[in-house]
Amino acid sequence: MSASATRPGLFTRNRVPRDLVPPVRPEYDRVLAPFVEAPVERTLPLGARLWQRDWLRKGLIIAALALVWEGLARWQDNDLLLPGFLATMSALFDGLANGELIDRVRISLTVLVQGYLAGIVLAFGLTTLAVSTQFGRDLLSTLTAMFNPLPAIALLPLALLWFGLGPGSLIFVLIHSVLWPMALNTYAGFQGVPETLRMAGRNYGLRGPSYVLQILIPAALPAILSGLKIGWAFAWRTLIAAELVFGASSGRGGLGWYIFQNRNELYTDRVFAGLVLVIVIGLVVENLVFAAFERITVRRWGMAR
């Protein structure tokens, strides 16, 4: 006869001594009374709510800079060297009203978009080759080491020889200014993709461009977005600098040429108006275009704070 049969109650069904089994406590729900002694959610004061607005804080910074600018101009009292903020705004509104500045901006942005998009396409093609083959990795590292430190404006004399006076030369230097920083940021983002996602893509049979489009690009989108921002900034300032050197094709030029012309004619208020418009376009692209793209992608997906 077994021990469990001779001594009933000493063991549980699974042959575990009863003194080693923890006691089972009864479960119950306790309903708490609602907390009404103080408000659970407190409304912030109006000043605190307004201070949380990004546009208000940035607007105050711009207003402070405008006040400092106007104060320095009045203290110097020389409109030829430093026109005031109000005089610059008057020249800016006049240029927009007569359509001259609008036409110059249209010419510049048309060339900028062509060079920017071409640089992005070439950068993605180069990084796709780099993540697919060893030859592509060697090619990317060699070309970026050679051409990334080279200023885009330094290639302008060669561009003039190869493409002549016209948009072709500007597009060439814009591609150079966008391609290398965009390729470096994109490749760095691809390198940072977790191995789990890479294995998932390979398990689904993804290879080559489909692997890049469906796995690497969504996972590396924060780094790609940084590359897009850097490429845009490089392209915009390269375009203005190139148009300051040359930019008039058949008597027409962009915003940089507008600044250069008015500098030669000593219309300093118009020069500052052109510079202000360059800054305004940069602020609009950064805070509206890229911010909206980031909000609907990486922030919505929880990839950035």
Side-chain angles (χ1 to χ4, degrees):
M1 184 177 295
S2 64
S4 61
T6 57
R7 293 185 178 183
L10 293 179
F11 292 90
T12 62
R13 181 176 299 177
N14 295 327
R15 309 293 296 174
V16 178
R18 289 188 179 276
D19 55 351
L20 299 181
V21 178
V24 179
R25 297 180 179 179
E27 297 182 359
Y28 59 90
D29 294 332
R30 176 173 294 178
V31 180
L32 299 177
F35 183 79
V36 294
E37 297 179 2
V40 178
E41 182 179 358
R42 185 178 60 180
T43 304
L44 292 176
L46 179 61
R49 294 200 306 270
L50 290 177
W51 190 249
Q52 291 179 347
R53 305 293 182 180
D54 291 342
W55 62 268
L56 179 61
R57 297 194 304 270
K58 294 178 181 179
L60 290 176
I61 294 174
I62 294 175
L65 293 176
L67 288 175
V68 172
W69 178 5
E70 184 68 25
L72 287 175
R74 291 179 182 273
W75 174 72
Q76 190 179 38
D77 196 19
N78 189 342
D79 290 340
L80 183 62
L81 295 180
L82 181 62
F85 176 76
L86 297 178
T88 301
M89 290 298 102
S90 177
L92 177 62
F93 292 144
D94 290 341
L96 293 174
N98 59 29
E100 182 180 7
L101 274 177
I102 295 177
D103 188 56
R104 300 301 181 103
V105 170
R106 179 186 59 80
I107 295 173
S108 293
L109 291 182
T110 301
V111 177
L112 176 68
V113 169
Q114 297 178 35
Y116 185 63
L117 293 179
I120 291 174
V121 171
L122 290 176
F124 273 111
L126 193 58
T127 50
T128 300
L129 184 63
V131 298
S132 302
T133 62
Q134 181 63 47
F135 172 75
R137 288 188 286 274
D138 295 338
L139 180 65
L140 177 63
S141 61
T142 303
L143 292 181
T144 52
M146 291 172 56
F147 295 112
N148 192 38
L150 185 64
I153 199 67
L155 295 176
L156 189 57
L158 292 177
L160 293 175
L161 290 176
W162 294 342
F163 303 101
L165 289 171
S169 300
L170 294 176
I171 292 174
F172 176 77
V173 295
L174 289 178
I175 291 175
H176 173 80
S177 64
V178 174
L179 174 58
W180 311 117
M182 183 68 196
L184 284 175
N185 278 269
T186 303
Y187 185 69
F190 288 169
Q191 292 295 102
V193 175
E195 188 63 28
T196 305
L197 295 178
R198 297 174 180 270
M199 293 173 62
R202 289 192 290 266
N203 289 338
Y204 276 101
L206 299 178
R207 297 291 185 273
S210 60
Y211 173 74
V212 173
L213 290 175
Q214 300 184 43
I215 299 296
L216 295 184
I217 290 180
L221 198 56
I224 295 174
L225 184 59
S226 298
L228 290 172
K229 292 180 180 180
I230 295 173
W232 147 256
F234 282 7
W236 185 227
R237 69 187 186 187
T238 298
L239 176 64
I240 299 301
E243 288 181 343
L244 285 170
V245 178
F246 94 102
S249 177
S250 301
R252 302 179 65 192
L255 189 55
W257 187 251
Y258 173 85
I259 296 172
F260 183 76
Q261 274 186 319
N262 286 283
R263 195 273 298 178
N264 289 337
E265 298 173 5
L266 297 180
Y267 291 126
T268 315
D269 55 345
R270 297 182 183 178
V271 172
F272 275 83
L275 295 175
V276 167
L277 194 54
V278 171
I279 296 173
V280 168
I281 293 174
L283 290 175
V284 168
V285 173
E286 180 72 23
N287 292 283
L288 291 183
V289 178
F290 285 120
F293 182 70
E294 183 177 4
R295 185 172 59 254
I296 64 177
T297 54
V298 296
R299 292 189 182 275
R300 184 179 180 182
W301 299 340
M303 302 173 68
R305 296 181 62 183

